[in-house]
Amino acid sequence: MQTLGKVLTVIGAIAAAMGVVAAIKKSGSIYKNDPSQRNPMEGKKVRFIENPDEPENADGKRGHLEAVGTTDHHAGIYERIVKRVLDIILSFGGLVILSPVFLILSLWILIDDPGPILFTQKRVGRDKQYFKLHKFRSMKMSTPHDKPTHMLENPEQYITKSGRFIRAHSLDELPQIWDIFIGNMSVIGPRPALWNQDWLTAERDRYSANDIKPGLTGWAQINGRDELDIEHKAKLDGEYAENLGLKMDIKCFLGSVGVFAKDDSVVEGGTGTMKDKK
């Protein structure tokens, strides 16, 4: 028992030290020093107001968000402490173990289509705070930056050879292990929405799914992914938020293993196709 206690103490100390490093690194990834890039709806409850005269957002809807209150989420011990410690340990281990994979993919991407290996996007984090999400680049340099793949005209023309492989096996998401390490994301949680996916953001607010950190994978991811329409996806994200705990995280983690092998629910050029198949 004494040996186990010492081991747990060492692990806790290491996690705490890595947490300090992560906190320092996080400060440069959340637009802290650039108020013009921050989300005016941060910390607020919102609803989507449709308006045909406004520009189309990344969800294909015309309208805007309207604040209807403030976030009143109170994180429990598991969410605040246990989940964060697990995230730090798992992400640090992932960065070390997968470093050869990172190197191989980086070289392939660079040779296939010269340019930056990684790209960043402004995404919606916990309480709607914007942060910089990292991905391996899977599309050509000429691809529109802030449009989801399903909204591109003939998206196949933009996907590189290396990109087609890494997207099919979800390898483009691997750099988000860094986003987990520094605290902008969690291993498990709702997938982070683009900053201009107002409809998805509002739908998630109906189920309090914006109150928690977004994740590398989650309940909606293992239950349909791109095939889900936004209402269904938001509802599943809400189910995860409502049942957040170790049991739910383990279920999502194990369910995600198959996604990295082969996921036929990745739909290039479309979303909500599960509904079409019924």
Side-chain angles (χ1 to χ4, degrees), residues 91-105:
S91 59
F92 181 76
L95 289 171
V96 173
I97 294 171
L98 294 173
S99 56
V101 177
F102 276 72
L103 178 60
I104 293 170
L105 292 178

Side-chain angles (χ1 to χ4, degrees), residues 139-189:
M139 306 190 85
K140 298 176 182 178
M141 294 296 296
S142 58
T143 308
H145 189 66
D146 280 322
K147 269 195 173 184
T149 306
H150 69 267
M151 291 191 67
L152 293 173
E153 185 176 346
N154 186 19
E156 288 288 339
Q157 67 177 314
Y158 294 108
I159 302 173
T160 61
K161 292 179 181 178
S162 58
R164 187 167 289 106
F165 176 84
I166 64 177
R167 286 166 69 92
H169 297 278
S170 298
L171 297 175
D172 57 325
E173 315 286 359
L174 287 181
Q176 289 160 50
I177 296 174
W178 172 253
D179 296 322
I180 295 169
F181 178 68
I182 64 176
N184 286 328
M185 291 177 59
S186 181
V187 174
I188 309 295

Side-chain angles (χ1 to χ4, degrees), residues 1-16:
M1 290 297 292
Q2 289 183 344
T3 302
L4 178 59
K6 290 180 180 179
V7 171
L8 292 175
T9 300
V10 171
I11 292 175
I14 293 173

Side-chain angles (χ1 to χ4, degrees), residues 7-266:
V7 171
L8 292 175
T9 300
V10 171
I11 292 175
I14 293 173
M18 290 192 295
V20 171
V21 174
I24 295 173
K25 295 293 184 181
K26 179 178 180 177
S27 63
S29 64
I30 54 174
Y31 307 99
K32 186 176 181 180
N33 299 318
D34 190 356
S36 65
Q37 294 293 322
R38 297 182 67 177
N39 187 0
M41 296 297 172
E42 185 177 318
K44 300 176 182 178
K45 288 290 185 182
V46 300
R47 64 178 178 179
F48 185 74
I49 306 298
E50 292 195 53
N51 186 339
D53 296 325
E54 294 187 24
E56 188 176 276
N57 64 28
D59 292 315
K61 288 274 191 177
R62 297 180 183 274
H64 62 275
L65 293 177
E66 178 180 86
V68 293
T70 56
T71 302
D72 57 0
H73 176 67
H74 298 288
I77 293 177
Y78 176 79
E79 182 182 348
R80 287 187 296 107
I81 301 175
V82 179
K83 189 173 174 69
R84 179 58 188 145
V85 170
L86 291 173
D87 282 341
I88 292 173
I89 294 173
L90 291 173
S91 59
F92 181 76
L95 289 171
V96 173
I97 294 171
L98 294 173
S99 56
V101 177
F102 276 72
L103 178 60
I104 293 170
L105 292 178
S106 297
L107 290 174
W108 189 11
I109 292 167
L110 189 61
I111 294 171
D112 192 15
D113 186 59
I117 295 167
L118 300 177
F119 79 99
T120 61
Q121 283 183 323
K122 187 193 293 184
R123 296 289 184 114
V124 180
R126 181 173 58 186
D127 295 332
K128 304 182 191 67
Q129 182 183 62
Y130 289 153
F131 72 97
K132 298 175 185 177
L133 175 139
H134 297 82
K135 277 191 172 188
F136 276 127
R137 183 169 59 86
S138 61
M139 306 190 85
K140 298 176 182 178
M141 294 296 296
S142 58
T143 308
H145 189 66
D146 280 322
K147 269 195 173 184
T149 306
H150 69 267
M151 291 191 67
L152 293 173
E153 185 176 346
N154 186 19
E156 288 288 339
Q157 67 177 314
Y158 294 108
I159 302 173
T160 61
K161 292 179 181 178
S162 58
R164 187 167 289 106
F165 176 84
I166 64 177
R167 286 166 69 92
H169 297 278
S170 298
L171 297 175
D172 57 325
E173 315 286 359
L174 287 181
Q176 289 160 50
I177 296 174
W178 172 253
D179 296 322
I180 295 169
F181 178 68
I182 64 176
N184 286 328
M185 291 177 59
S186 181
V187 174
I188 309 295
R191 286 297 297 154
L194 283 166
W195 67 274
N196 52 353
Q197 285 188 281
D198 291 342
W199 185 26
L200 175 58
T201 298
E203 285 295 306
R204 281 178 169 169
D205 249 18
R206 295 175 57 194
Y207 305 101
S208 300
N210 291 315
D211 295 343
I212 59 177
K213 284 183 183 179
L216 180 63
T217 186
W219 190 234
Q221 284 291 99
I222 66 174
N223 283 284
R225 199 172 176 174
D226 289 342
E227 292 190 338
L228 298 173
D229 56 51
I230 282 180
E231 294 97 329
H232 192 184
K233 183 183 295 185
K235 186 176 181 180
L236 287 170
D237 289 333
E239 287 180 10
Y240 171 78
E242 183 179 358
N243 296 287
L244 193 152
L246 183 59
K247 182 179 179 180
M248 186 63 160
D249 279 350
I250 291 175
K251 185 184 295 186
C252 290
F253 185 84
L254 295 177
S256 299
V257 174
V259 172
F260 289 93
K262 174 64 179 176
D263 189 358
D264 294 327
S265 63
V266 180

